[in-house]
Structures are given as C-alpha cells and as structure tokens.
Amino acid sequence: MIKVYLKKSREESVKRFHPWIFSGAIHKLEGVEEDGAMASVYSSDGKALAVGHYQIGSIAVRVLEFQTDTLPENFWEKRIEAAYRFRSVLGLAENESTTAYRLIHGEGDMLPGLIIDIYNDTAVIQAHSAGMFLAREEITEALKRTYGKKLRAVYDKSSATAPFKAGLQLSDGYIYGNETHPASIKENGISFFVDWCSGQKTGFFLDQRDNRELVGKYSKGKNLLNLFCYTGGFSMYALASGAISVTSVDSSRTAMEMLEKNIGLNREAGIVLNDAKHDSVCDDAIEYLKKSQKGQYDVIVVDPPAFAKHRAAIPNALRAYQRLNAAAIDKIAPGGIVFTFSCSQAVDKTAFAEAIFSAAAQTGRRVRILHRLTQPADHPVNIYHPEGEYLKGLVIYVE
Ligand code: SAH
C-alpha cells in the first residue's frame, strides 16, 4: 500500500471528486512505487481524501473511492451491481432486441481505467490501467455474482491496453467459462457478428448505437456512402431502412469480411431486403472519396478512428478532420446530409466544430447544422470528469 500526501495547493480537485491525481500534485510519497498498487491519498494535514490505483506516470492515482483511505467491503460487487442497475434503468440489461451494451465505462461508472462490454452472455473486459488489470479476478467474481447464470464467459482483452512496462508479456483470453466467440448480437433488432478475439477494441463499436438509428431515419430512398464502416454498423441500419444503395469503405479486410457476413445474417432474417444494393470496398477512405463522382451520394457517414491519441497530436488531427470533411462536403449531392464524427478524447467539441466549419468554408457550399451528436447513455459522463465526453458528431445539410 502506497501513501500519497498532496501539496496543500493541489487538494481542491480531489475534494471536488475529480478521479485523477496528477504526479505534480504529490508532495510526499511513502511506500514502494509500483504500477497497479493500491494508494491512499491524504491532504497535507493528514486527512483521508481518497483511495485508488497507483501508476507511474502523469496520472499517478486513479481514484476508486473518495473520503476514505481503504476500499469499502464488497467494493467491486457494489460498483458492478450499481452499473448493472443503471443499465436496467436504460432498458438495456434485459432487452431482446438489443443484446449488447457497455456495462462499465471507466470514470463514467466510477471505475477509472476499466471498460466492460456485454455481448449476449459474455463480458469482455479491457483494462486501461495496471490496477484494473491486476483486479481482473475480483472483477470477474463480482460479474458472476451480479449476473448469475446469465453470464457464461468473461474474456480479458487487455494485452494491448494495460500499460505495463516492457518485459511483461500479456495475452488475451477467457478468464471464466468456455469459448463463446464469435457470436451474433442484436442491436435495435439488427444482427451483427462480433468477434472480441480478433476484432478492434472489444469487438464492436457500441458507442454509435443511437447515431446509427438516426442514420436509418435519413436513409430511405437514398444512396449512402459509409466511410470507415468497420463491420457495417451504419450500413446495416441504412439498408434496413430502405436505402436504394449503400457503399461501405474500410481499409481493414477482416472488417469487410465480417460486414459481408452481417449482410447475409440480416437478409436471412428479412431485415435487409433482397433488392437493397450493397457494395463493399476495401480502400483508404480519402482515396476512395477522391475517386468518387460529385453528387453520387445523398448521405455520407464519416466515422474515422481517433486522429489524436494525445494532446500533442491535436493540431495535425484537426487538419486531418478538415481535409477529410472538406472532401465529403465537396462530393455530396445537393440537399445531401453528412454525418461526421470524432472519437478523439483530446479534441473537444468546439475544436471539432471549428474544423468542420473550416471544411465547409473551403468548399464554399451552403451548410446547416441539423444535429449535434454524442455517445449513448451506457457510455455515461461523470459530471466531475467532463473529459469523459469523447464522442462528438455533427449532422450537416449541404445545399
Ligand atoms: N463506423 C464504425 C466504426 C469505425 S472505427 C461502426 O459503426 O462500427 C474506424 C474504422 O476505420 C476501423 O474499422 C478501421 O479499420 C478503419 N480505418 C482506419 N483507417 C482507415 C483509412 N485510412 N481508410 C479507411 N478505413 C480506415
């Protein structure tokens, strides 16, 4: 156990429940500095302020509980149960038409460094901090107690995200139950294959659920281009909503193969009708846009991976958002709609909107904002940690 004493001038933020304690706020540290160790945090006059996971780096402590120096009894079970209750309130916990949701969204669920996504009866854990990685067993036990028989397996997908120093070889795998992958989940009645072992992130981008529904609303009778389509989330909603044609573009061949399977699955179920036209294109999104004809598409979805993974990358990322969106706005048919997104946490919504504004100005076309979009409620933002709002979207109408 590490004891951390804060500088008097740096105590305010933890008293206001911000879950990160930066190394620069620490006046004195007692104990062995070790990634993932438990740390108690005290004010300069010795009052217990918080307890959390220690990590060597800029964010030194990720707070699990405030106003105490020890983890309360049954901590993991209580937190996970609370998260489950919250998803029940959202109507996600037992829902036949939507069988995949985020159970734990890090700071948004007061568990900084931890992501848990539920796919049918499997929980996929992704630890983004050493402390959460080391707590996998306790987390799994808590999941089992919360879900009972409804949980068949727990898969750990932390090898690429748990920040351990070189030398420690991590591997992904099942930590409870037998293999359950790949599986097909349902989202608003539409089916998708998800492979958490080989897919990106935990296997599926659950954070676009609500925004996909909105794309569906605008797709009837339209020719739609879905850039950065992954396994076809937006494409499937457009096809199910009566789009005349959908073209899906992604640079990942594996993602495109899964997309094809997803179309098959939904055609079989009668969700996607047989006359709906679909083209899969494995290409760079910008290159594809350059080659496409002006006016070919009525709706374009632009959902790239995070361009800025840290603050230093922000200026380049903004230029990339501008370039990409200028190309989309330039190519779209008159009266067309662009759905554009950024999932870079480091780029805030004002900066993103400015990039889209510059993109519009570059094309000289008349553009109106129809909707401002964000992440769905199962990716909650802790009010004391506004940084947790990472997904930004704008829906624009181009004359
Ligand atoms: N819209 C998707 C999620 C997109 S994630 C959904 O709803 O599920 C970002 C995707 O961009 C990934 O599938 C990745 O393979 C793809 N990608 C990354 N760089 C690319 C590029 N230069 N051109 C095309 N696709 C790219």
Side-chain angles (χ1 to χ4, degrees):
M1 189 89 178
I2 296 173
K3 284 186 171 181
V4 160
Y5 294 86
L6 298 187
K7 294 175 183 161
K8 195 165 172 36
S9 60
R10 300 287 298 269
E11 291 168 1
E12 264 321 297
S13 137
V14 61
K15 285 182 179 164
R16 280 188 280 116
F17 307 119
H18 193 284
W20 297 345
I21 291 168
F22 290 98
S23 56
I26 298 175
H27 164 64
K28 191 175 75 178
L29 186 144
E30 289 173 4
V32 189
E33 277 189 83
E34 220 172 346
D35 279 336
M38 291 301 291
S40 304
V41 181
Y42 300 94
S43 62
S44 53
D45 58 5
K47 261 211 277 321
L49 295 177
V51 59
H53 285 144
Y54 188 81
Q55 194 149 313
I56 301 164
S58 155
I59 303 175
V61 182
R62 287 171 171 81
V63 175
L64 297 171
E65 189 69 285
F66 294 94
Q67 299 172 333
T68 176
D69 57 1
T70 41
L71 264 199
E73 222 175 294
N74 303 326
F75 168 81
W76 295 101
E77 197 175 337
K78 282 187 190 151
R79 274 293 146 86
I80 285 181
E81 250 178 46
Y84 180 78
R85 270 200 307 278
F86 171 49
R87 271 64 182 180
S88 301
V89 171
L90 300 178
L92 286 169
E94 284 183 49
N95 182 331
E96 281 183 9
S97 59
T98 297
T99 64
Y101 59 91
R102 177 152 292 188
L103 173 70
I104 301 291
H105 183 61
E107 287 80 0
D109 284 291
M110 323 295 163
L111 290 172
L114 181 65
I115 296 296
I116 303 180
D117 286 340
I118 303 291
Y119 296 110
N120 303 331
D121 47 15
T122 300
V124 180
I125 299 186
Q126 195 160 58
H128 289 255
S129 70
M132 285 300 179
F133 182 77
L134 297 176
R136 271 145 45 255
E137 293 289 317
E138 286 141 295
I139 294 165
T140 300
E141 284 311 307
L143 282 168
K144 281 157 71 176
R145 277 197 293 274
T146 298
Y147 281 88
K149 287 208 170 65
K150 284 178 287 185
L151 185 74
R152 270 212 303 148
V154 176
Y155 185 81
D156 171 33
K157 182 127 191 229
S158 305
S159 69
T161 56
F164 282 99
K165 299 272 169 298
L168 196 60
Q169 275 298 329
L170 303 182
S171 57
D172 296 332
Y174 286 90
I175 46 182
Y176 167 64
N178 300 316
E179 283 189 10
T180 46
H181 74 280
S184 74
I185 58 109
K186 274 198 178 146
E187 189 185 88
N188 293 313
I190 302 178
S191 298
F192 293 95
F193 279 113
V194 180
D195 189 341
W196 35 90
C197 304
S198 64
Q200 298 182 29
K201 300 283 165 95
T202 67
F204 196 62
F205 292 88
L206 295 164
D207 56 359
Q208 290 288 25
R209 185 192 308 114
D210 294 353
N211 303 331
R212 288 182 190 130
E213 258 192 316
L214 192 63
V215 164
K217 271 197 192 167
Y218 284 103
S219 297
K220 193 167 185 210
K222 298 288 171 13
N223 295 298
L224 184 132
L225 173 63
N226 182 11
L227 297 173
F228 308 93
C229 62
Y230 189 51
T231 57
F234 289 105
S235 305
M236 229 55 67
Y237 280 68
L239 289 168
S241 306
I244 298 174
S245 80
V246 173
T247 304
S248 304
V249 183
D250 201 284
S251 55
S252 156
R253 192 159 300 278
T254 340
M256 300 302 307
E257 283 165 9
M258 196 68 113
L259 181 153
E260 291 287 340
K261 285 192 193 158
N262 287 336
I263 291 182
L265 202 58
N266 289 292
R267 278 201 208 274
E268 252 168 54
I271 302 276
V272 171
L273 298 180
N274 279 330
D275 57 358
K277 195 172 162 300
H278 182 266
D279 285 317
S280 294
V281 182
C282 191
D283 198 354
D284 177 84
I286 277 263
E287 291 304 314
Y288 182 82
L289 257 184
K290 277 194 204 149
K291 287 180 279 191
S292 71
Q293 284 161 18
K294 269 198 182 191
Q296 197 177 340
Y297 300 107
D298 310 300
V299 179
I300 303 183
V301 178
V302 185
D303 184 25
F307 284 162
K309 295 247 161 64
H310 44 82
R311 300 194 69 79
I314 295 176
N316 276 339
L318 290 174
R319 277 192 289 275
Y321 285 123
Q322 184 184 329
R323 230 179 0 255
L324 175 62
N325 284 285
I329 296 169
D330 182 50
K331 286 289 165 84
I332 200 155
I337 295 179
V338 179
F339 284 75
T340 183
F341 297 96
S342 160
C343 59
S344 308
Q345 182 153 358
V347 172
D348 67 30
K349 55 182 171 216
T350 313
F352 180 61
E354 278 166 10
I356 306 307
F357 164 80
S358 305
Q362 201 178 320
T363 65
R365 296 184 72 174
R366 205 170 282 173
V367 173
R368 294 185 182 88
I369 297 175
L370 304 188
H371 304 275
R372 295 166 198 274
L373 307 178
T374 183
Q375 63 222 49
D378 57 337
H379 294 57
V381 181
N382 173 349
I383 205 156
Y384 306 112
H385 179 259
E387 300 94 318
E389 187 180 344
Y390 70 99
L391 184 63
K392 301 148 290 280
L394 284 178
V395 185
I396 55 177
Y397 178 82
V398 185
E399 275 194 25

